[in-house]
Amino acid sequence: MTAPLNTSDTDPQETREWLESIDSVLRAGGTDRAHFLLERLIDHARRSGAYLPYKPQTAYVNTIATAQEPSYPGDRAIEKRLEAYMRWNAVAMVAQANKVSSEYGGHLASYASSATLYEVGFNHFWRGPTDKHTGDMVFMQGHSSPGVYARAFLEGRLGEEHLGRFRQEVGGGGLSSYPHPWLMPDFWQFPTVSMGLGPMMAIYQARFLRYMENRGLTAPSDRKVWAFCGDGEMDEPESMGALTMPVREGLDNLVFVVNCNLQRLDGPVRGNGKIIQELEAAFLGAGWNVIKVLWGNRWDPLLAKDTNGVLRSVMESTVDGEFQTFKAKGGAYTREHFFGKHPELKALVAHLTDDDIWRLNRGGHDAQKVYAAYAAAVAHKGQPTVILAHTVKGYGLGKAAEGQMVAHQQKKMDAESIRRFQEVFRLPLSEEDIAKFNFVKPAADSEEIQYLQSRRAALGGYLPQRITDVPALQVPPLETFKALLEGSGDREISTTMAFVRMLTALLKDKSIGPNIVPIVPDEARTFGMEGLFRQIGIYSSVGQLYTPQDAEQLMSYKEDKKGQMLEEGINEAGAICSWIAAGTAYANHGRSMVPFYIYYSMFGFQRVGDFIWAAGDIQARGFLMGATALCAAGHAGGRRAGHFEGRLSDAPGCQGQAANHAAGFGHHPARSAGCCRDPRSRLQRRRRCVLHYQLQ
């Protein structure tokens, strides 16, 4: 082991002695022992008064060393052929649609950069739902949908008539542009466009999975939630706005895969910097387990010969804008402008042709490297994991899109790019197939299709798929709400208070009570709900490790591992994501839950409007309660700011009402509980895909 170049080293001999000592520890005690000693040294130095700044980044190399990679369990020759078919059919789908009309759009480059990331998961990790296992949850990156359809075509789940109607759904039989459960309710599980919503929804799905297990509503399992994101997408505030929550919850059932192709829609994500290093710092700082998959196996011999650390140093100093250009301009350009940065590097690749240099692959396109990362993520305990996979946008699409600034908007391929595609992926295409962009697939009895089907059978079945056939809820009798139906007499109570009484009655019901999920973003006391703290408990994955200040009071603050209320803090986005997770429990856990998201109406809606639309798309079932809507006219306009049922009329499946109008809510004492004339009616409709929005 040798040190990389460091011009600030004032005593190289001492440095060498320290490194030799660490080498000795690594040989004798392994990496865990070396890590322990280094941490102890740093801690000792800091306790002695030394200022040692935290560096939340590691070297710009793969996290998992080549010697530590597990053996690949699949037949890569067959998998490569299958992947080539999927890549071509994904291209053909978009190209055919744009022959009909250029307005149909579509994207070639995103799936091209991530195909291997998906295929390793489909073939070896992601489990489908069976009667013994409810399956993994996978949030697919929205712009990669053509590749997922292409796989379903080879599986026999979709036909040419479906692929030929990509983004042409009028009249039925078409395929939605992105993952939309509303449009394809038996296929897609999760909507992931608008960008940025998927990562946060995935985090709260992983937490709700543990919530269900800890409350004893589902059996403990090894289910995983996988979320695929783009590196440009991570700039959306929602993408990284909840990174610390899964760390404090210990959600080792959560895996992020960030496709770092270095490009967003208009250009480089960080042309003058390094997005992978930036993301690593953010995730490490939040407490995630970070796995970098940067370089493919063709780099391994070069890195092994890099005894002076020159190659590693140049890799780390090269900015992303350069890496994009290298892939776009070929081997000769890369030899001159990357390896030409140091004489040792030029000598290191002197034996390689320009084509050899161009074929030096990035980690996200190497199935062995990806498999090693996925296996490590699945085995990791105590933390969520993020995999940062270095890829090329438009990989294999030639000059039409590979590494090009226009890659995201590219919807067609010229003859030269198609020839390059055939050269890279060795797919047997006829001249007619190329001219017409025909869909192609092996015969049903071919070894490729047999392998494809056998891998999914071994993992429990196809993904994505959405199952919604669950037992109906047992609705409580009308007698349950007798006190509310009789009104409040001479005592005036607010509509919010009437709702809380109705909610309390539901929670006490033995049949439906356990299925009720109250969700509050730090406003429970405002709404008069503090009595529920002790009654049903506030969910905490670790219980309550302290004695609350109000422990002796009747309505003390009680956290419990089996707690029923989700108290999300000042976090409307997190609260609505919990509500979405609960509202889709029927599809993801085989058990219907009844979530009530109660929030301060004036603030809550603006923060979560896009999530509410996604909730409609995902067919969440539950109640959104905009509390205190009518009593805050002087508080930034209250309801006059536009908080009324019409605001949600465009959300799929949303039925809105104002409690003082449609349901008889109001401040008149005799009518204060009017909404409960028959509160069962909406519960009885909960097998329909409807979300309810109500102002109080």
Side-chain angles (χ1 to χ4, degrees):
M1 186 182 203
T2 56
L5 298 180
N6 188 346
T7 56
S8 64
D9 192 345
T10 59
D11 192 339
Q13 178 60 34
E14 183 182 35
T15 301
R16 183 169 288 104
E17 291 172 0
W18 277 93
L19 292 177
E20 289 173 353
S21 297
I22 288 296
D23 284 343
S24 176
V25 173
L26 285 169
R27 286 192 297 270
T31 55
D32 288 344
R33 178 60 180 166
H35 185 207
F36 174 80
L37 289 175
L38 290 171
E39 288 293 332
R40 284 297 301 271
L41 285 169
I42 293 171
D43 182 67
H44 178 78
R46 285 176 173 155
R47 290 178 185 274
S48 300
Y51 172 66
L52 300 180
Y54 169 65
K55 184 180 180 182
Q57 291 177 343
T58 61
Y60 203 64
V61 294
N62 294 343
T63 301
I64 301 173
T66 303
Q68 297 174 327
E69 294 171 5
S71 298
Y72 192 80
D75 187 322
R76 275 304 293 156
I78 294 177
E79 289 180 4
K80 284 180 179 179
R81 294 200 294 272
L82 284 166
E83 192 175 303
Y85 279 105
M86 293 175 205
R87 288 177 178 276
W88 171 257
N89 288 326
V91 167
M93 200 181 315
V94 176
Q96 281 195 25
N98 281 270
K99 280 187 175 182
V100 178
S101 172
S102 60
E103 294 182 357
Y104 287 148
H107 305 278
L108 303 177
S110 293
Y111 179 71
S113 68
S114 58
T116 302
L117 299 175
Y118 284 107
E119 282 308 295
V120 172
F122 276 122
N123 285 323
H124 302 291
F125 289 95
W126 303 334
R127 294 158 298 182
T130 67
D131 55 354
K132 296 181 180 179
H133 194 283
T134 44
D136 294 318
M137 292 185 262
V138 185
F139 286 72
M140 313 283 184
Q141 190 178 358
H143 292 97
S144 296
S145 61
V148 181
Y149 293 140
R151 165 171 264 272
F153 172 61
L154 295 191
E155 292 169 337
R157 302 169 66 197
L158 297 176
E160 289 191 26
E161 68 277 13
H162 299 109
L163 270 61
R165 290 181 59 81
F166 176 62
R167 293 190 170 211
Q168 303 164 68
E169 300 157 84
V170 176
L175 301 179
S176 62
S177 55
Y178 303 122
H180 289 302
W182 184 263
L183 299 174
M184 299 179 65
D186 299 322
F187 190 85
W188 291 115
Q189 287 179 284
F190 307 106
T192 52
V193 176
S194 296
M195 288 191 294
L197 302 191
M200 186 175 283
M201 287 194 290
I203 287 173
Y204 282 85
Q205 283 283 2
R207 200 276 295 270
F208 193 75
L209 195 157
R210 290 286 170 81
Y211 168 91
M212 295 286 283
E213 293 175 353
N214 287 334
R215 287 192 57 210
L217 300 175
T218 57
S221 73
D222 61 351
R223 295 181 74 188
K224 299 287 184 183
V225 178
W226 296 72
F228 280 75
C229 329
D231 48 357
E233 180 181 7
M234 302 311 287
D235 281 340
E236 289 283 4
E238 296 89 349
S239 294
M240 300 177 67
L243 289 190
T244 58
M245 189 275 272
V247 174
R248 65 176 179 268
E249 294 280 334
L251 297 182
D252 51 19
N253 60 347
L254 176 66
V255 181
F256 272 22
V257 181
V258 184
N259 175 21
C260 298
N261 59 36
L262 312 185
Q263 291 182 242
R264 45 184 172 78
L265 277 68
D266 289 340
V269 180
R270 296 290 184 273
N272 296 312
K274 301 180 82 66
I275 185 59
I276 292 175
Q277 297 298 82
E278 182 180 321
L279 291 173
E280 179 187 31
F283 279 94
L284 275 179
W288 288 57
N289 174 43
V290 179
I291 301 174
K292 293 195 290 192
V293 186
L294 306 185
W295 311 109
N297 64 342
R298 292 171 187 159
W299 286 92
D300 289 343
L302 300 180
L303 287 165
K305 296 176 181 177
D306 183 38
T307 56
N308 292 324
V310 177
L311 177 57
R312 289 169 174 81
S313 180
V314 172
M315 284 175 164
E316 193 141 359
S317 64
T318 300
V319 297
D320 288 353
E322 291 182 284
F323 278 123
Q324 177 191 344
T325 304
F326 295 151
K327 212 57 187 174
K329 294 198 172 182
Y333 182 92
T334 304
R335 183 192 299 274
E336 179 182 354
H337 292 88
F338 178 76
F339 293 103
K341 290 184 178 184
H342 196 284
E344 285 190 33
L345 290 189
K346 292 192 75 171
L348 187 66
V349 296
H351 65 292
L352 299 180
T353 66
D354 290 344
D355 282 343
D356 290 336
I357 289 177
W358 186 85
R359 282 193 289 267
L360 291 170
N361 54 339
R362 295 182 185 172
H365 301 302
D366 188 317
Q368 172 65 47
K369 306 293 185 183
V370 174
Y371 179 85
Y374 286 8
V378 168
H380 189 75
K381 300 299 181 185
Q383 294 170 288
T385 293
V386 61
I387 296 167
L388 304 175
H390 195 192
T391 63
V392 178
K393 190 149 191 173
Y395 177 71
L397 300 182
K399 291 183 178 180
E402 189 163 11
Q404 303 294 314
M405 287 293 186
V406 298
H408 192 80
Q409 283 77 24
Q410 191 59 264
K411 299 162 182 39
K412 300 177 182 179
M413 290 178 66
D414 57 24
E416 182 181 351
S417 296
I418 293 175
R419 284 196 297 273
R420 186 63 175 176
F421 183 96
Q422 286 185 285
E423 177 185 333
V424 173
F425 301 114
R426 301 177 183 176
L427 186 64
L429 297 172
S430 68
E431 290 300 319
E432 181 182 351
D433 292 335
I434 293 172
K436 295 183 177 180
F437 285 97
N438 288 334
F439 302 120
V440 295
K441 65 189 297 186
D445 60 352
S446 66
E447 63 175 347
E448 290 90 354
I449 298 300
Q450 293 299 308
Y451 181 89
L452 179 83
Q453 300 288 12
S454 68
R455 291 311 309 146
R456 287 316 309 161
L459 289 166
Y462 299 126
L463 281 178
Q465 64 169 300
R466 193 166 170 276
I467 300 173
T468 60
D469 186 17
V470 296
L473 293 170
Q474 185 176 347
V475 179
L478 196 58
E479 183 69 18
T480 302
F481 309 99
K482 180 179 179 182
L484 289 169
L485 293 170
E486 291 176 349
S488 59
D490 294 332
R491 182 188 175 194
E492 292 189 4
I493 65 172
S494 68
T495 53
T496 298
M497 187 180 297
F499 160 70
V500 173
R501 290 184 177 184
M502 183 184 71
L503 181 64
T504 302
L506 287 170
L507 287 164
K508 289 180 178 179
D509 185 81
K510 292 183 179 179
S511 59
I512 201 172
N515 298 69
I516 304 295
V517 185
I519 304 168
V520 183
D522 205 39
E523 291 276 11
R525 296 185 191 276
T526 305
F527 308 145
M529 297 177 63
E530 63 268 33
L532 297 180
F533 292 165
R534 194 160 184 172
Q535 179 184 328
I536 62 174
I538 298 166
Y539 174 74
S540 166
S541 60
V542 297
Q544 193 158 35
L545 306 179
Y546 63 96
T547 301
Q549 175 271 323
D550 59 355
E552 297 179 357
Q553 297 181 18
L554 182 63
M555 295 185 288
S556 62
Y557 196 84
K558 179 188 175 185
E559 298 189 65
D560 193 322
K561 195 169 184 177
K562 294 183 178 293
Q564 194 163 350
M565 177 185 286
L566 289 172
E567 168 62 85
E568 301 295 4
I570 307 174
N571 180 8
E572 284 90 354
I576 192 67
C577 286
S578 281
W579 184 84
I580 291 171
T584 54
Y586 71 96
N588 297 321
H589 301 279
R591 177 165 183 159
S592 292
M593 304 298 286
V594 186
F596 289 84
Y597 170 35
I598 310 102
Y599 60 91
Y600 204 131
S601 178
M602 195 192 73
F603 305 114
F605 177 80
Q606 297 99 317
R607 298 290 184 90
V608 299
D610 206 9
F611 277 115
I612 292 174
W613 206 97
D617 192 346
I618 204 173
Q619 304 187 48
R621 301 172 179 176
F623 296 83
L624 302 173
M625 310 301 293
T628 68
L630 306 183
C631 62
H635 197 349
R639 188 165 181 265
R640 295 177 190 143
H643 300 273
F644 61 95
E645 55 273 25
R647 290 287 298 273
L648 282 166
S649 61
D650 65 336
C654 181
Q655 295 182 0
Q657 72 177 55
N660 67 323
H661 297 302
F665 260 109
H667 294 290
H668 189 283
R671 297 188 295 149
S672 59
C675 78
C676 294
R677 286 177 181 151
D678 193 349
R680 303 175 303 158
S681 60
R682 291 192 171 187
L683 291 173
Q684 288 168 336
R685 296 201 301 267
R686 281 186 48 74
R687 294 197 73 178
R688 294 170 55 200
C689 298
V690 175
L691 61 94
H692 300 284
Y693 176 72
Q694 188 152 2
L695 291 165
Q696 305 167 39

